[in-house]
Amino acid sequence: MYSKDELLTKAAGIKPWLVEIRRDLHRHPELGMEEYRTRDKIIEYLTEMGIPFERDIAHTGVVGFIEGGIEGKTIALRADIDALPITEMNEVDYKSQNVGKMHACGHDAHTTVLLGAAKLLNDNKENLKGNVKLFFQPAEETVGGAKPMIEAGVMENPKVEAVFGLHIAPDIPVGEIGVKYDQMNAASNSLSITIKGDSAHGATPHNGTDAILIAAKVISALQTIVSRNVDPRDSAVISIGVIQGGTAANIIADTVTLTGTVRTLHPDVRSYVLKRIEEVVSHTTQAMGGTFTLTIKDGYNVLINDNSMVDIVKQSAIELIGEENVHQLQLPSLGVEDFAFFAEAAPSAFYRLGGRNEERGIVHGLHTNQFDIDEDCLPLGAALQALTVYKYLNEKK
C-alpha cells in the first residue's frame, strides 16, 4: 500500500497523461449508447496497462479487472462515459470537434480519473488485498447504463462488495471535495398526459369542451400535491415542461399534451405522489367534461449512500487534502444519477470532486455550453479513489 505522500507524488507524476486523456475525450464527445470511440480509447488504455477487460457490456460499457496480489474482497469504481447534446462555446484547444455534442457534465473527467486510479492501483497490485472492477458505464445522461450493466452480471463473478463513484462539482473549488450521508440524489419519473375535449368555434365555446382550459386546471391542481399533500418536511417536485395543443386562435382546442418530470427523495413519498397525480388528473379532467390518458415511466431511483462507505471516502480525503478541504453536504440534490442502481446493489458511496477555479474563470455550471474544469482535479480524484480502495480492502473487516 502506498503511503499518502507516495500516492500524491505518483498521482502528480501522471498528471500530463491524465490531461492528455481528458482533452482527447473532450474533443470527441459521444452521446449515450453511441460511445464507440470512447469505448475503444478506454480499451486502448487498459491494454497498455495490462489490465484485462470485458467489452460491450450494456452495449458500449467496459469492465476492467485488477486482481490483487493478496486474496480478499472485490469492490468496484465507476465512471460514466457519455456526453450531452450541447454545442460547446469555450474557445480552448480541446474544444469539442463533434458539432452539437459536448462533455458538459464532466464525464470525460470521470473516465480519466478512473483510468488514473486504475494505473495507480495496477502499478501496486501485488500489495492489493483483493480485487477491483472498473466500471466504464454508458448512457448516464439518457437511458441509463447502470441498471443494464448490473443485469448483465457485472456485480458477480466475483461478487462486488462495495462501489465508489464521484462527480465533478463546479460549485466546489479544486482541491476540495463534498461528501453526503444518506440521500444524495433524487428519484425521477416522467409524465405524459393527453387531455381530450371537443372542438368548437372560438366564438361559441359552449358548443365544445376546451382542452386548454382543462389542461390549465390540471397543471394548477398538480401543484397542490406538493403544497398540500406532501409533508412539508419531505421533498417532492412536479414540473410540467412542455404543453402542446390547439391549431388556431379562433378554434377551441380538442387535444392538449403535457409532459413533465417528478422528483422525490423517499420511496414512500414517490409512490404516494404518483398515486395522487393519477387521482388529480382523473378527477379534474372528468369534472370538466374531458377525458385523458396518463403515462408515468420510472426514471432513476433515489441515490442513497451507505454511511459507512461515506466514512471511508471522508477519512481518505482528510488524509490526502486535510479536514478543512472536506465538506459535509447538508442537502441532497433533486437532480438524478443512475449510480443509484449500484448503490442499491451493494454498499456504496458517491461524492463530489471540486473542479472550480474562479481566478481562471472556470465557474460555469453543469449542462451549460461553457462548462469546464480545473484539471488539477484529475490527479487528486485518481489518488482519492485509489486510497479509498486501499482503505476498504486492507482495513475494513
Side-chain angles (χ1 to χ4, degrees):
M1 178 175 172
Y2 294 124
S3 69
K4 177 198 77 171
D5 292 337
E6 287 175 329
L7 191 57
L8 287 173
T9 299
K10 288 184 178 295
I14 64 171
K15 181 185 175 183
W17 180 69
L18 296 174
V19 169
E20 180 183 350
I21 293 172
R22 183 256 167 171
R23 293 187 178 189
D24 176 70
L25 295 175
H26 194 89
R27 290 188 190 99
H28 302 95
E30 298 171 301
L31 303 182
M33 296 301 176
E34 300 175 4
E35 309 99 326
Y36 302 110
R37 182 187 184 277
T38 305
R39 173 203 61 194
D40 292 344
K41 295 300 291 187
I42 292 167
I43 288 171
E44 178 184 318
Y45 294 124
L46 292 177
T47 301
E48 289 175 358
M49 289 186 279
I51 297 175
F53 60 86
E54 293 184 44
R55 57 178 290 164
D56 299 332
I57 299 172
H59 197 61
T60 49
V62 179
V63 175
F65 185 74
I66 300 173
E67 183 175 3
I70 306 169
E71 186 176 350
K73 296 180 179 181
T74 297
I75 69 171
L77 301 176
R78 175 269 202 172
D80 36 16
I81 67 176
D82 58 320
L84 286 160
I86 294 175
T87 298
E88 182 164 13
M89 299 303 291
N90 292 316
E91 294 303 327
V92 291
D93 62 6
Y94 49 90
K95 181 177 181 178
S96 171
Q97 297 178 9
N98 296 344
V99 177
K101 300 175 185 179
M102 178 188 173
H103 272 296
C105 200
H107 296 188
D108 53 338
H110 303 168
T111 303
T112 302
V113 165
L114 182 50
L115 288 167
K119 183 170 182 58
L120 295 173
L121 292 166
N122 194 60
D123 286 350
N124 194 37
K125 63 183 178 181
E126 65 275 6
N127 294 316
L128 191 63
K129 185 182 177 182
N131 312 305
V132 183
K133 290 186 178 181
L134 312 167
F135 293 162
F136 296 92
Q137 179 213 302
E140 192 280 328
E141 299 287 359
T142 53
V143 297
K147 190 173 183 180
M149 285 188 77
I150 294 169
E151 291 169 348
V154 300
M155 299 293 288
E156 306 298 331
N157 303 314
K159 181 178 178 61
V160 173
E161 304 284 349
V163 186
F164 295 92
L166 57 79
H167 202 296
I168 289 293
D171 57 335
I172 297 177
V174 66
E176 304 177 14
I177 74 158
V179 297
K180 175 72 176 69
Y181 289 92
D182 302 310
Q183 288 102 332
M184 179 81 177
N185 288 80
S188 65
N189 292 86
S190 63
L191 297 178
S192 178
I193 307 166
T194 300
I195 295 170
K196 289 283 190 179
D198 291 307
S199 182
H201 196 290
T204 57
H206 59 287
N207 291 329
T209 301
D210 191 342
I212 288 179
L213 182 59
I214 297 173
K217 294 292 186 181
V218 166
I219 293 170
S220 180
L222 286 174
Q223 298 310 309
T224 67
I225 297 173
V226 174
S227 67
R228 289 297 178 266
N229 298 149
V230 174
D231 189 322
R233 294 166 294 184
D234 293 321
S235 294
V237 172
I238 302 173
S239 297
I240 301 298
V242 179
I243 304 175
Q244 296 174 314
T247 57
N250 61 347
I251 299 174
I252 297 298
D254 65 352
T255 304
V256 173
T257 299
L258 312 174
T259 55
T261 187
V262 180
R263 304 295 172 97
T264 51
L265 287 169
H266 193 282
D268 290 343
V269 175
R270 185 185 198 184
S271 298
Y272 177 68
V273 167
L274 298 181
K275 174 176 174 288
R276 285 294 293 140
I277 287 172
E278 185 171 0
E279 293 171 348
V280 166
V281 173
S282 174
H283 296 323
T284 305
T285 302
Q286 292 177 26
M288 299 186 69
T291 60
F292 74 96
T293 58
L294 169 64
T295 302
I296 301 177
K297 293 183 178 180
D298 289 339
Y300 298 162
N301 291 347
V302 59
L303 196 173
I304 302 176
N305 278 328
D306 182 286
N307 290 345
S308 66
M309 300 298 106
V310 177
D311 282 339
I312 295 173
V313 172
K314 184 177 179 180
Q315 289 304 313
S316 298
I318 288 172
E319 287 187 22
L320 286 180
I321 57 178
E323 190 168 4
E324 69 278 9
N325 293 313
V326 180
H327 307 288
Q328 187 168 321
L329 307 175
Q330 299 303 311
L331 298 175
S333 169
L334 269 293
V336 297
E337 167 59 62
D338 78 339
F339 184 87
F341 294 104
F342 291 119
E344 288 182 337
S348 301
F350 194 73
Y351 63 96
R352 303 178 71 197
L353 176 69
R356 183 182 184 89
N357 188 324
E358 294 189 14
E359 291 182 1
R360 296 179 54 200
I362 301 174
V363 297
H364 298 283
L366 300 170
H367 291 222
T368 66
N369 58 18
Q370 290 182 284
F371 173 77
D372 204 350
I373 65 166
D374 185 323
E375 290 168 327
D376 283 348
C377 71
L378 300 174
L380 173 57
L384 182 51
Q385 288 289 69
L387 183 57
T388 299
V389 167
Y390 286 128
K391 278 192 169 296
Y392 181 93
L393 291 179
N394 292 9
E395 299 178 12
K396 190 172 178 63
K397 303 300 183 183

